[in-house]
Amino acid sequence: MTETAAERYRELTALATAAGKEMRKHERDSAEKLGEKVAAGERRAEESEKVRDELVAEVKQRWTAAMQVVWDERWLRSSGLPAADRKAPDASPSESRLAVHEAFEDLRDAITKPRLPTGFLSRRKKS
């Protein structure tokens, strides 16, 4: 059985057409999967941004509370909320909240710790 050039051309164009359709289907599927991954990434980024904003608000609240605790301590100078320490080790939001809470509690305990009574120190007697 001999094929004519026209028949062979038809077979090749049919194969090329089928391959093109298959490739377009594969690309559509890939694009759909990538679109879903991008959407999931955007949702995670939005959630992370929301958590970061909440954490920053909590830290500012704790800072304000700390400044109220030390208000009567005239010797302690404050220049406002310090910038974030970029050299600090990475921590989850819950670890960060816990660290801020513990630092605040330590500060409050240090400030409210009983002081030496005034009569405790011996006074110098004048001769």
Side-chain angles (χ1 to χ4, degrees):
M1 190 188 295
T2 56
E3 280 187 73
T4 65
E7 290 172 341
R8 182 69 181 144
Y9 175 77
R10 280 189 215 114
E11 286 177 17
L12 290 174
T13 55
L15 283 172
T17 301
K21 286 180 182 178
E22 186 64 30
M23 186 171 25
R24 282 190 292 279
K25 180 183 178 292
H26 175 72
E27 287 177 352
R28 273 193 305 274
D29 292 345
S30 294
E32 185 178 328
K33 288 177 186 175
L34 289 173
E36 290 169 2
K37 286 182 179 181
V38 166
E42 287 174 348
R43 282 192 301 275
R44 279 196 318 271
E46 288 171 1
E47 290 170 8
S48 296
E49 196 171 305
K50 180 181 173 190
V51 168
R52 185 201 66 211
D53 292 345
E54 290 172 355
L55 190 57
V56 166
E58 286 178 35
V59 167
K60 286 181 180 178
Q61 233 176 357
R62 286 289 182 174
W63 180 260
T64 302
M67 292 300 99
Q68 290 171 351
V69 166
V70 298
W71 183 254
D72 291 332
E73 302 298 323
R74 304 280 186 236
W75 58 269
L76 183 64
R77 302 236 185 252
S78 172
S79 60
L81 183 65
D85 183 3
R86 301 291 180 197
K87 295 177 185 174
D90 291 340
S92 69
S94 59
E95 292 171 334
S96 298
R97 282 184 179 98
L98 182 61
V100 168
H101 176 73
E102 288 174 349
F104 176 75
E105 291 300 320
D106 290 345
L107 172 68
R108 188 168 58 190
D109 290 346
I111 295 296
T112 58
K113 187 188 314 183
R115 296 186 172 96
L116 294 174
T118 42
F120 180 74
L121 297 174
S122 62
R123 304 257 178 190
R124 206 165 152 195
K125 293 182 181 182
K126 294 185 180 179
S127 347

